[in-house]
Amino acid sequence: CAWMLCVLCLVLTVQAFTQERFKEVVLKQLGLSEVPKLHSRDLVDLVIPDHVKNKYMSMLKRQRVKRRALPSLAGILRGIPGHTGEVLYSDTTTRQRLMFDMEGRIPKNSEVTMAELKLFKKPLDRANLPARQSHRPVSNARVSVYWVQQQHDGTNRTSLIDSRLVPIRESGWKSFDVTQAVHYWLRNKRREPMFLEVWIEGERLGSYASEMAKAVRFTSQDPKDKALGKPELVLYTLNLDDYGSLGDCREEAMPGKSTCCRQKHYISFRELPWAQHWILEPAGFQAYRCSGSCLQPPRALRRPGSGQRSCAVAGSSALPIIYLVKRGNHTEIEAAEFPNMIVERCSCVADG
């Protein structure tokens, strides 16, 4: 285990680690001898079980809480109005599509530290409730938010962003953390809007819980929906000219030429041929890496046996994932947490 942690740190420290080495580390961490032999057809009608979804969201929220403890998360509130929306019904799920025009909304040289999707839950119309039968009472519906990635072949692929239980009989504003979706949109650097999907499902399996969930209604972006409280995307941003995070490289810094700092380094699972079909969540992550040079102390002040000071990882955090694996003739969906996958801090250390 200790050896694995060292390898993971080394992988993030090396400036240009290979895809093959990264693959080896991921497979070793999951206890797999080879990449699962899966294809895109294995993803058709794939449903992530609730216990896996809950485990993943729990790990994800633990990481978000850690990052919010940083001083840099004090931000500027910016509301972004939506433009369109529709509700699609199926036997098991109610889905609402949302679109937000992001172009020009995020100030230059700023960092999005948090993004919230605010949805207004309409008062319950009891006429929409199914007839009470001899079922266990159902108090909540599960509401999940997905980022929708429009792929070049015209198809869509979703990534789970946030999920929680919402009381069916309560009305009012409900907030969801969609910071990860905004970071995905920024990573793609496209001029198109950001698309989200809101899924409303039963809090447990069964037709009664599913029918109860259909009574949950959020105000849509459709202008014909006259209810108050249109969906809002609220961005918290920092002006990096005033609040630049100490230790992060500036955009114009040349790799290897600047003082030791943390440089952005995004890894997209969707663009890695060996990972795109079986690593389901997240779509990718900002791993960061350490870059830049370190001042060398005079020889007389060096500790005996120590070498050159170099820029290295001084702190890291874990990455939660959901993945699909083949066991015998059937597939299973699991959640796991990779330690030391996201560089949090860089520092100058002496070799040896």
Side-chain angles (χ1 to χ4, degrees):
C1 181
W3 178 83
M4 269 309 308
L5 296 183
C6 290
V7 170
L8 286 166
C9 280
L10 285 171
V11 165
L12 288 171
T13 304
V14 175
Q15 193 167 15
F17 62 87
T18 64
Q19 282 192 26
E20 192 62 30
R21 189 71 190 114
F22 181 54
K23 179 174 75 174
E24 288 175 15
V25 170
V26 169
L27 293 176
K28 270 189 175 293
Q29 184 67 23
L30 293 176
L32 301 175
S33 58
E34 60 180 0
V35 172
K37 292 180 171 59
L38 300 165
H39 304 281
S40 56
R41 61 177 175 269
D42 291 306
L43 300 176
V44 176
D45 297 327
L46 191 68
V47 177
I48 299 175
D50 276 349
H51 72 279
V52 174
K53 188 184 292 186
N54 289 339
K55 182 179 178 182
Y56 175 73
M57 293 310 306
S58 176
M59 292 187 293
L60 202 60
K61 285 174 180 175
R62 191 162 61 242
Q63 293 304 321
R64 287 172 180 168
V65 167
K66 283 182 184 177
R67 292 209 170 89
R68 280 188 192 157
L70 299 174
S72 63
L73 289 168
I76 303 166
L77 187 68
R78 299 183 188 277
I80 299 179
H83 294 276
T84 185
E86 56 182 314
V87 178
L88 309 174
Y89 294 99
S90 66
D91 291 338
T92 57
T93 311
T94 301
R95 301 185 187 183
Q96 182 174 351
R97 290 180 183 166
L98 302 172
M99 181 181 81
F100 292 95
D101 181 12
M102 304 285 285
E103 187 66 23
R105 301 284 184 170
I106 300 172
K108 290 183 179 179
N109 198 32
S110 66
E111 175 189 347
V112 177
T113 57
M114 189 170 70
E116 285 185 331
L117 175 66
K118 297 181 68 176
L119 300 175
F120 187 81
K121 184 179 175 301
K122 299 179 181 180
L124 179 67
D125 182 356
R126 298 187 179 277
N128 289 330
L129 291 175
R132 179 72 183 273
Q133 300 174 5
S134 57
H135 295 282
R136 278 193 299 151
V138 173
S139 304
N140 304 299
R142 174 164 293 281
V143 180
S144 303
V145 180
Y146 291 81
W147 172 62
V148 181
Q149 182 182 20
Q150 297 188 320
Q151 303 187 102
H152 297 298
D153 62 1
T155 60
N156 290 337
R157 189 167 177 187
T158 59
S159 292
L160 178 63
I161 300 300
D162 199 3
S163 179
R164 65 187 183 89
L165 295 176
V166 169
I168 292 174
R169 290 174 172 81
E170 291 181 10
S171 63
W173 288 101
K174 307 297 177 185
S175 295
F176 298 86
D177 187 333
V178 294
T179 312
Q180 194 175 16
V182 175
H183 287 171
Y184 286 158
W185 181 87
L186 287 169
R187 169 63 188 171
N188 284 344
K189 294 180 179 176
R190 295 179 180 175
R191 294 185 176 276
E192 64 188 27
M194 185 177 75
F195 295 92
L196 299 174
E197 266 190 2
V198 179
W199 294 20
I200 306 169
E201 304 165 284
E203 69 173 327
R204 62 171 184 264
L205 295 176
S207 59
Y208 180 63
S210 175
E211 289 302 313
M212 285 290 290
K214 287 183 179 179
V216 173
R217 295 283 193 278
F218 291 109
T219 305
S220 73
Q221 291 176 321
D222 191 339
K224 296 176 185 175
D225 190 342
K226 299 301 182 183
L228 296 175
K230 297 293 183 187
E232 293 180 0
L233 183 64
V234 180
L235 299 185
Y236 296 81
T237 65
L238 280 176
N239 183 335
L240 294 182
D241 288 334
D242 298 328
Y243 299 98
S245 301
L246 292 175
D248 281 0
C249 303
R250 296 186 67 86
E251 293 292 333
E252 65 272 14
M254 293 292 291
K257 300 294 184 182
S258 61
T259 303
C260 181
C261 58
R262 189 180 71 155
Q263 187 179 59
K264 287 183 178 179
H265 178 63
Y266 189 86
I267 296 174
S268 172
F269 288 126
R270 300 284 166 83
E271 293 173 9
L272 292 174
W274 58 268
Q276 57 187 270
H277 296 315
W278 64 282
I279 295 184
L280 306 180
E281 305 291 349
F285 69 105
Q286 189 64 260
Y288 296 99
R289 61 187 175 199
C290 295
S291 176
S293 59
C294 296
L295 290 173
Q296 305 300 323
R299 188 173 297 276
L301 298 178
R302 293 184 193 173
R303 182 170 56 85
S306 66
Q308 295 283 309
R309 294 173 79 237
S310 57
C311 189
V313 177
S316 60
S317 60
L319 174 74
I321 69 163
I322 296 178
Y323 64 101
L324 191 65
V325 64
K326 212 149 196 170
R327 303 196 191 281
N329 295 323
H330 65 284
T331 57
E332 294 180 4
I333 301 175
E334 298 184 1
E337 195 171 55
F338 280 5
N340 304 303
M341 291 299 281
I342 302 170
V343 175
E344 296 290 354
R345 217 166 53 254
C346 297
S347 182
C348 290
V349 295
D351 295 339

